[in-house]
Amino acid sequence: MLYEKVKEATLLAQNNNPGANFYIPLEDFMEFVTYHLIAFIKMRNPISSKKMSMNQYLRHDEAYSTSYKKVVITDEEEYKIFHNTLRNAINRFNALNHKTKAEAEIRKQAESEKGSRGNRFETPITIHDFQVIGEMPTLMDLKATKDPLNTVYQRILKNNIHNITFTNYKLFSEHLNDSITEQNLTMDEKQLHHYLIEKHLKLHTLKSICKEYENMVQSKNLSLTDEERKARLQLLLYATNMPMVQQWKTYIDLVKELPPYKFHAFIQEIDSITNFIKWILLMYFQQNEDVVFDEQDLIYFNSYVDPKRFENDFVLRRDFSSQTFSIVMDEIKQGNEKDK
């Protein structure tokens, strides 16, 4: 049901953007938007439901309704604000939520001691979007330890990622995946969290990027300068700017054969993918007020978030060196600083 409506919206979006031709097929967009709409509901609602109206949930969440319905806006600047809201909502490593809770507790205690308006904080503060019970405690427990996992976590928060070794980064990602596996969640919810861990930590994607960069360094057929290798590395990483995690590898594979005169077109396509997803959502909500999904939609959903679709067996020393991993992480660090 939902997939068919998303398909209609995708075709409408294509009619409104006749020049929107992509290397990947339209079906990839349909799968992603279906996944996105189901995920947004499932991760906010603690009840795992096979069929659910968005309005049923929105009645209990006025703030969510206000922000989500901004999807129908057409002003580009307002859309950017909305898109950032969505991106933040699916960022499962948003430590700000924990900080907000801690600051509120401090205010509650201070105001209670003063005898003024302390009752404002009697209602527990809710952990924000796209998080599950036990998730933030897992991360906060890392902060209290002094082992390599804590070191990785702190360096990610402070953007000192160029100082993280591949071994420790892998341990960190595996630890978070293990913590999700151990939680009392349905299989599709667990898969979704595993998917989100890859989306934000990019372990398997980084292994693919390291493999491609290592090939550039070792290839006897390519005589690239350091600047040329850096330019191609930036393209490899730029592919991860689009929200469609399952298609990252497709574009990463394109870079090795890409002539320099097509670099700009590559960047434009990555940017256009996000814009086209915006159009699909606009078309969808012009035609539908609710998001209702059935069992067939859940088949699409589970197939999309299946971790096996992005896992690979690339390993350190056999496929890439520790130096290559450091070079890739340093490039990410520099990119993060430019985005601030």
Side-chain angles (χ1 to χ4, degrees):
M1 182 190 303
L2 177 60
Y3 180 84
E4 292 302 319
K5 291 182 177 181
V6 169
K7 182 177 180 179
E8 293 174 8
T10 303
L11 296 176
L12 286 172
Q14 186 183 43
N15 291 337
N16 282 275
N17 298 270
N21 297 312
F22 303 99
Y23 182 81
I24 56 177
L26 283 182
E27 286 77 9
D28 287 354
F29 290 91
M30 298 172 196
E31 284 188 358
F32 173 78
V33 174
T34 301
Y35 144 75
H36 167 81
L37 292 173
I38 294 176
F40 205 89
I41 292 177
K42 290 183 75 66
M43 295 297 288
R44 286 187 57 91
N45 198 309
I47 302 175
S48 178
S49 173
K50 294 183 179 180
K51 186 173 181 180
M52 185 189 307
S53 164
M54 181 177 282
N55 279 341
Q56 290 175 336
Y57 188 71
L58 295 185
R59 292 192 196 103
H60 305 287
D61 196 336
E62 184 177 351
Y64 169 71
S65 176
T66 302
S67 65
Y68 198 86
K69 289 190 175 180
K70 279 190 177 182
V71 76
V72 301
I73 64 179
T74 56
D75 180 77
E76 188 64 26
E77 288 304 313
E78 285 192 22
Y79 177 74
K80 287 180 181 178
I81 296 174
F82 165 73
H83 180 71
N84 287 337
T85 300
L86 273 186
R87 185 174 60 184
N88 290 337
I90 64 174
N91 183 356
R92 74 181 303 279
F93 303 111
N94 186 359
L96 180 61
N97 290 328
H98 186 272
K99 180 180 178 183
T100 301
K101 286 189 67 178
E103 290 176 347
E105 285 300 318
I106 293 173
R107 291 198 306 272
K108 175 183 176 180
Q109 182 177 353
E111 293 186 5
S112 295
E113 290 175 352
K114 293 179 181 178
S116 62
R117 302 171 64 192
N119 59 351
R120 277 196 305 148
F121 297 98
E122 287 180 358
T123 302
I125 295 174
T126 304
I127 289 292
H128 297 174
D129 304 318
F130 276 72
Q131 295 187 347
V132 295
I133 296 172
E135 177 175 312
M136 289 309 295
T138 297
L139 294 177
M140 293 309 111
D141 287 345
L142 290 177
K143 293 181 71 173
T145 65
K146 295 183 179 180
D147 60 19
L149 296 179
N150 171 269
T151 301
V152 173
Y153 181 63
Q154 295 294 340
R155 287 176 178 174
I156 289 175
L157 292 180
K158 297 175 182 177
N159 196 33
N160 290 328
I161 56 176
H162 62 301
N163 288 324
I164 301 174
T165 67
F166 173 77
T167 300
N168 286 344
Y169 197 75
K170 181 172 179 287
L171 285 172
F172 183 77
S173 178
E174 290 174 346
H175 172 80
L176 293 179
N177 276 300
D178 289 344
S179 70
I180 293 299
T181 300
E182 293 168 2
Q183 290 189 37
N184 185 25
L185 300 169
T186 63
M187 183 56 66
D188 57 323
E189 290 168 336
K190 289 181 180 181
Q191 286 189 338
L192 178 52
H193 278 292
H194 294 316
Y195 177 90
L196 291 174
I197 291 172
E198 176 64 20
K199 178 179 176 64
H200 295 291
L201 287 186
K202 303 179 176 67
L203 175 65
H204 292 284
T205 304
L206 287 176
K207 290 196 292 181
S208 294
I209 290 174
C210 286
K211 177 77 161 59
E212 291 300 328
Y213 187 83
E214 189 80 15
N215 289 343
M216 291 183 208
V217 175
Q218 301 295 336
S219 175
K220 296 180 180 179
N221 298 324
L222 290 175
S223 55
L224 301 177
T225 66
D226 288 344
E227 289 185 358
E228 290 169 335
R229 279 197 295 268
K230 182 181 178 70
R232 288 186 183 271
L233 174 56
Q234 289 173 342
L235 291 183
L236 292 169
L237 293 169
Y238 201 82
T240 67
N241 283 349
M242 65 177 177
M244 302 168 74
V245 177
Q246 304 292 19
Q247 280 67 44
W248 286 353
K249 184 63 166 56
T250 299
Y251 282 91
I252 286 171
D253 289 342
L254 287 179
V255 172
K256 57 187 173 187
E257 303 293 341
L258 204 65
Y261 70 87
K262 288 190 176 181
F263 283 10
H264 183 65
F266 179 90
I267 293 172
Q268 281 188 318
E269 173 147 348
I270 298 301
D271 291 342
S272 296
I273 284 172
T274 301
N275 191 55
F276 189 63
I277 292 170
K278 175 191 76 171
W279 270 99
I280 297 173
L281 289 170
L282 288 172
M283 294 300 100
Y284 180 87
F285 281 104
Q286 283 183 6
Q287 302 293 321
N288 308 277
E289 291 186 1
D290 296 341
V291 173
V292 179
F293 53 90
D294 56 23
E295 291 186 10
Q296 183 60 43
D297 295 316
L298 284 177
I299 292 175
Y300 287 117
F301 176 82
N302 290 328
S303 172
Y304 197 84
V305 300
D306 184 356
K308 293 183 177 62
R309 292 186 65 182
F310 50 73
E311 290 177 353
N312 61 61
D313 59 356
F314 299 143
V315 297
L316 184 68
R317 288 188 288 278
R318 186 191 71 191
D319 298 298
F320 57 89
S321 66
S322 58
Q323 181 181 11
T324 290
F325 181 75
S326 295
I327 290 172
V328 171
M329 296 297 274
D330 186 60
E331 189 61 40
I332 296 174
K333 169 187 168 65
Q334 293 181 40
N336 290 343
E337 290 174 346
K338 290 178 182 177
D339 291 339
K340 288 181 180 180

